[in-house]
Amino acid sequence: MATTDNRIYSTGKRKTAVARVWIKPGTGTMTVNGETAETYFERDTSRMSARQSLELIEALDQFDVFATCAGGGKSAQAEAVRHGVSRALCLLDPEKRSVLKRAGFLTRDARKKERKKYGQAGARKRFQYSKR
């Protein structure tokens, strides 16, 4: 999380997705991996998730967002963008922190896929047991 010229940089994470986010004062355009958010995130829920933090503080048309995402799926990347934008907005205006924190946008969602264990069919599932 750092400030360069008039842009503010922050990172957001969700599952294995990592989003590097830059925000700057502008007209409200959101660019993800060189594409607009509308074309990059095919699902409406992913687009909504990426914009939630800006909608919450009613600054949707006040900032331009540029993000690069890697890892995970599109849904996790959208939530990583939301996390990164929220952290960047806190750097810009610390008074917004309580609103974003209450909505849960600053909390890193640490849920990940549990690894498969040896001697088992999956992470929790066991192989079928036969008594006889």
Side-chain angles (χ1 to χ4, degrees), residues 11-107:
T11 57
K13 293 182 179 183
R14 169 75 172 100
K15 288 189 172 180
T16 57
V18 180
R20 299 184 304 162
V21 178
W22 291 266
I23 66 167
K24 66 176 184 175
T27 58
T29 59
M30 185 176 276
T31 309
V32 182
N33 288 352
E35 301 177 41
T36 62
E38 283 72 31
T39 56
Y40 187 76
F41 297 122
E42 295 95 16
R43 298 177 64 205
D44 290 332
T45 53
S46 297
R47 278 185 234 135
M48 180 197 70
S49 179
R51 287 198 164 83
Q52 270 182 326
S53 53
L54 288 169
E55 287 174 354
L56 182 69
I57 64 163
E58 298 169 357
L60 194 57
D61 56 344
Q62 296 174 12
F63 295 103
D64 289 340
V65 178
F66 177 77
T68 56
C69 297
K74 294 283 177 94
S75 183
Q77 287 180 356
E79 292 189 25
V81 169
R82 179 181 71 188
H83 187 227
V85 168
S86 299
R87 292 174 76 177
L89 289 169
C90 281
L91 285 176
L92 185 72
D93 187 9
E95 293 174 9
K96 305 282 186 200
R97 182 176 172 80
S98 62
V99 177
L100 292 166
K101 183 79 171 169
R102 205 173 311 116
F105 297 157
L106 294 176
T107 306

Side-chain angles (χ1 to χ4, degrees), residues 101-118:
K101 183 79 171 169
R102 205 173 311 116
F105 297 157
L106 294 176
T107 306
R108 159 75 161 100
D109 194 346
R111 293 177 294 172
K112 288 189 175 183
K113 184 171 181 171
E114 192 175 335
R115 68 172 288 262
K116 181 197 174 299
K117 316 303 190 304
Y118 56 87

